Amino acid sequence: DTGVSQDPRHKITKRGQNVTFRCDPISEHNRLYWYRQTLGQGPEFLTYFQNEAQLEKSRLLSDRFSAERPKGSFSTLEIQRTEQGDSAMYLCASSPREAGPFYEQYFGPGTRLTVT
Amino acid sequence: AQSVTQLGSHVSVSEGALVLLRCNYSSSVPPYLFWYVQYPNQGLQLLLKYTTGATLVKGINGFEAEFKKSETSFHLTKPSAHMSDAAEYFCAVSAYTGNQFYFGTGTSLTVIP
């Protein structure tokens, strides 16, 4: 049972460029979450998918951010026109079909984004 | 609304000493509480969780936490610190819908040899 994987692990981009991150959840986990973690802070919720449906979005997810999960498997998070304030670690997590609020989320290693 | 507060952003202990990391929660419904550990440049790993039942929860690597409703606390402890325990520790509460976790700001644990 492989864990949650994320690609790339590191991304350096210039301000104004678009970037896309990929997350592969644990197989058969139908719930997928994206979080953002800035230096010295805990992860902050961005968005949540159940299968291919995006069911919840944080107000942190501005219009420049878009997330997709086609076919309910892997997910992508795209940031358009990146800003220096987007520099952070982007974490993906997944949990199984029967998960409720008492069930843990399994986290990937994260993608560290640096906007110069 | 649900939230957690971690008191002490940095904690230093000597190797072999007691580890105590503090977490207080705020929740209008029975909370589901979690402790995660994060090593440098890695994702978060679950240490333990409290859902219902026994208020003293044992986790991995010798850690445990006690849910105290009267004090709205869920402090993490370990009797004897090891060098490998040096990491960032996050307390979290699950949203009642299960759609997200609310994390604290984290406590960085340093273990002094």
Side-chain angles (χ1 to χ4, degrees), chain A:
Chain A
D1 182 20
T2 58
V4 178
S5 62
Q6 294 187 242
D7 184 69
R9 294 291 306 276
H10 303 274
K11 179 70 176 178
I12 300 174
T13 191
K14 294 184 177 180
R15 187 178 57 184
Q17 297 295 304
N18 299 345
V19 294
T20 301
F21 310 140
R22 176 180 171 125
C23 170
D24 286 87
I26 294 172
S27 59
E28 298 182 355
H29 277 195
N30 75 333
R31 294 179 171 222
L32 187 145
Y33 314 80
W34 284 98
Y35 291 82
R36 183 178 71 181
Q37 184 180 20
T38 53
L39 199 61
Q41 298 296 317
E44 296 174 291
F45 172 76
L46 291 178
T47 190
Y48 157 66
F49 289 85
Q50 185 163 316
N51 297 314
E52 65 276 7
Q54 188 175 20
L55 297 184
E56 193 161 340
K57 292 194 292 186
S58 161
R59 63 179 180 274
L60 291 176
L61 212 66
S62 74
D63 291 345
R64 296 185 298 106
F65 288 69
S66 63
E68 294 182 342
R69 194 183 182 196
K71 303 179 183 178
S73 55
F74 71 91
S75 175
T76 58
L77 177 68
E78 181 183 16
I79 308 175
Q80 296 182 329
R81 305 181 303 282
T82 53
E83 302 174 354
Q84 288 189 323
D86 297 331
S87 295
M89 174 81 88
Y90 290 84
L91 294 165
C92 177
S94 70
S95 59
R97 179 190 311 275
E98 64 273 15
F102 48 82
Y103 208 95
E104 64 265 33
Q105 295 178 11
Y106 295 81
F107 282 82
T111 294
R112 182 170 296 283
L113 173 66
T114 302
V115 182
T116 61

Side-chain angles (χ1 to χ4, degrees), chain B residues 88-109:
Chain B
E88 189 87 16
Y89 292 80
F90 293 95
C91 181
V93 61
S94 173
Y96 194 68
T97 57
N99 292 352
Q100 63 176 286
F101 280 2
Y102 299 97
F103 285 88
T105 52
T107 297
S108 177
L109 176 66

